[in-house]
Amino acid sequence: MSTDTDIVVYVEESEFDVLLNGSEEKVVVVDFTATWCGPCRLVSPLMDQLAQEYKGRAKVVKVDVDNNKPIFKKFGLRSIPAVLIFKDGILAETIVGVSPYEDFSNAVQKLV
């Protein structure tokens, strides 16, 4: 396991649209999370693993819902953790709650 902590970076609402439409990678995985959310801490290492496995093929980022409520509401989300997977800027898959790594990996694999 890599000790590189900036594999999965936090993005702000202002960067979001540029990320979805201007990313070199066609697939963007967005982990909606919060520091106080226990289940989110279970998903976080899975996102790091996903970023490693799909490096160069998919971009994995996090959005702190406390700082970015409008973007959270824009997608009709009500609970976290919530992982949204976009392809070419279009929402392709939504996984809400704690799921096994295979769920995230399979969802990305279908799109890359």
Side-chain angles (χ1 to χ4, degrees):
M1 188 73 198
S2 172
T3 55
D4 187 4
T5 54
D6 60 359
I7 288 174
V8 180
V9 295
Y10 279 90
V11 294
E12 299 299 319
E13 186 180 3
S14 58
E15 306 165 280
F16 197 77
D17 289 335
V18 173
L19 174 77
L20 286 187
N21 300 309
S23 179
E24 293 146 32
E25 292 92 348
K26 297 270 184 226
V27 177
V28 179
V29 179
V30 184
D31 175 18
F32 286 88
T33 187
T35 52
W36 48 264
C37 168
C40 297
R41 287 197 277 282
L42 299 173
V43 170
S44 186
L46 303 180
M47 292 299 106
D48 292 341
Q49 187 180 345
L50 203 64
Q52 281 290 87
E53 185 177 339
Y54 291 97
K55 197 172 194 170
R57 295 184 292 159
K59 178 129 184 103
V60 182
V61 298
K62 292 180 189 235
V63 171
D64 186 323
V65 296
D66 290 333
N67 300 334
N68 298 282
K69 281 190 174 60
I71 197 168
F72 182 67
K73 290 182 175 153
K74 174 181 174 181
F75 294 106
L77 298 171
R78 293 203 185 103
S79 62
I80 52 175
V83 175
L84 276 56
I85 304 170
F86 297 84
K87 177 159 183 163
D88 297 320
I90 297 163
L91 181 60
E93 183 103 27
T94 302
I95 302 171
V96 177
V98 177
S99 295
Y101 178 74
E102 292 71 32
D103 289 5
F104 300 112
S105 181
N106 291 341
V108 172
Q109 185 61 47
K110 286 189 293 191
L111 301 171
V112 290

